Amino acid sequence: MNAPIPFAAGWPGPSTPFHASELEAQARAGYTEVADAAGRRGIRDYMPDQHRQFYAQLPFMIVGGLDADGQPWPTWRVGEPGFVASPDNRTLRIAGGELPGDPLAGTWREGALFGGLGIELPTRRRNRVNGVVTSVDSEVVTIRVSQAFGNCAQYIQSRTPERTPRAGTDALSRQRRATRLSDEDRALLERADTFFIATANVSDDAGVARGVDVSHRGGLPGFVRVDDDVTLTTPDFAGNKFLNTIGNLLADPRAGLVFADFEHGDLLYVATEAEVVWDGPELTMFEGAQRLVRFHVREVRRSEGVLPFRWTSAQFARELAPASETWFRLRVAAIEQETAHIRSFLLEREDRGALPEFEPGQFLPVRLAVPGHAAPVVRSYTLSGRDGRRRYRISVKRHGAASSWLHDTVVSGDSIEAMAPRGTFTFDASSPRPAVFLSAGIGITPMIAMLEQALGGVGASSGHRPVYFFHGARTESERPFGDFLRRAVARHPKLSVHLLNSERGEMAHGRIDVERLKQVLPFDDYDFYLCGPASFMRDLYEGLRALNVADERIRFEAFGPSTVTRTRTKGVAPPVVETAVAAGATVTFRRSDRTVNWSAEQGSVLELAEANGIAAPSSCRAGTCGTCAARVLEGSVVYTAEPVAEPGPGCALLCIAKPVVSVEGGQRSLVIDL
């Protein structure tokens, strides 16, 4: 194995990682400073180890290059996981994987420019890499990496592939070529929610940024507007502010597009000449568009049935989901009594439309008209799963006015208001490590949703890694989902379930603690997920850390106040995901003249504002675009993810911010200029 090549963090040296046309695009969009800072921090001239491992687990990769005429094309390369490999952090090798009808077939040679996009649709992960081909040996193409960086998950529709034989034996004989779109092509484009685009700047003046770029584009069906059989228009949404594609188009307007028919396995390639529409009334026709790109079709190639996959239906990205930022009405379709004090409510859209997708572990903000309250009561209940594709399930324990009203008053057919699901406590489906779920009481609700995913539900990486599920209740009769767990363990040999009851006299008497875990687990490298009362969380977290379990391997969510204080692993950067929280924190929105209470389950400051009817600008919801930046007048925040955008002096990105409050007592307040 080759020795690692030394590298520095971020972009090396004083030069910019962008070429002149990218800088021109960034300046016109007003992104110069934030793009420069984010680019120097996030773009590298090598691949981080996590990127190298990520590429090696992919069954396909989107690659881009230039044909003999200099036309950029994006295309799919397909193989068994491992067909893309990285022997060192500046080398990428792709072994075979060329599909029939590939427009780049025969073009790979030493010195050819290469752009790559590794994308995992089930988990919405993606990373970019650009470089130059150093050798072509039989079917193996070796690339020397010049730039590598990660992308956030926004606008990626999640869908899970299943391998299937490619149709026919000679797809080349069925590849149709034309200079305009057929009715069949137009129908595919009009229902498309995903495509990939290749652009290039091959000028010597481009310096270190010279090369081919491949990018993902996603939106709700209809975001690709077919103006006529030789013209397409698409929105350019807020992204990482690098404007790589737009910058390349300013240097060379040629672009290649590829669309997949996820149902039948066709690939539709379109060679175009593009123009950027920076402003004007036409932008209002595409919600959320920062600018438009109009593509003039030069050539169309359609290869039938060449993709060896069929895919599940799309789960639309949260930022594209219907009603993601507004309240919408849900009808109570059914109610199930889980225990004497816990009920599950099955909810469907009152208008019969599609529900916004959610990640297992997230919560659902709801707004309830509780008698005796002057204003609607806003609460967040964790989604314990779904019933089919058109129903949410929340499982609510009777505790307080809102939950008691749900238990005592709401019946099937009634309506409540909700917003799109949210929250950062989610299951890492891409991890190869065994998962250990630890919960007590009503803390079981996110664990049930995560367990369904870990056992092979939509978004799971394989469904074959070992899973350990621990749950503590006072008595057996007070445990929800007991029957589900028993059926699951009977069906899945990799699942180990341990149900404990704290009340004496019960058959499985005891509490979940580290000593119990040591009796069951052959301690190795696990991902731990914790949810339950404060003392349960604190004792388990501190016990696991005492056994040298890395802090980053322990994820937790508390229902109510939590006194868990993270201790970072030696040599690991301080975590940005959680901080100690306490009950009674207040957030004041100064311009709106509103002061509201905040607790951990209410999510980010942006989500708190939205839940209370306070208008707050936002776009990416991932700390990337900077749209939600607001001045912090008093107090401080902690980020739940590493920010890409720079919010500016005295400001914070509200979409990934939570208030910092004391665990020693004493209320703290956060004041936002909003």
Side-chain angles (χ1 to χ4, degrees), residues 497-578:
V497 172
H498 304 270
L499 307 178
L500 301 175
N501 304 312
S502 60
E503 187 170 283
R504 292 190 179 278
E506 294 276 337
M507 288 184 60
H509 172 66
R511 295 181 182 274
I512 299 172
D513 54 24
V514 168
E515 290 304 315
R516 177 79 61 170
L517 297 183
K518 289 164 66 176
Q519 295 172 16
V520 175
L521 299 178
F523 259 79
D524 200 351
D525 197 12
Y526 300 93
D527 290 329
F528 290 91
Y529 298 83
L530 285 61
C531 189
S535 60
F536 170 85
M537 304 268 289
R538 183 183 59 249
D539 292 346
L540 277 172
Y541 176 80
E542 292 176 355
L544 290 171
R545 291 293 288 117
L547 292 175
N548 292 320
V549 176
D551 172 73
E552 59 269 23
R553 299 282 180 260
I554 309 172
R555 304 184 182 198
F556 54 78
E557 180 89 314
F559 288 168
S562 169
T563 56
V564 180
T565 303
R566 284 189 175 272
T567 57
R568 66 185 177 117
T569 303
K570 185 177 181 180
V572 176
V576 296
V577 177
E578 283 95 3

Side-chain angles (χ1 to χ4, degrees), residues 5 9 30 73 82 102 113 132-133 148 165 234 285 531 577 590 597 624 628 671:
I5 296 175
W73 292 100
D102 187 333
L113 299 174
V132 178
V133 174
T234 67
M285 301 178 66
C531 189
V577 177
R590 177 66 56 81
N597 291 327
T624 298
C628 67
V671 181

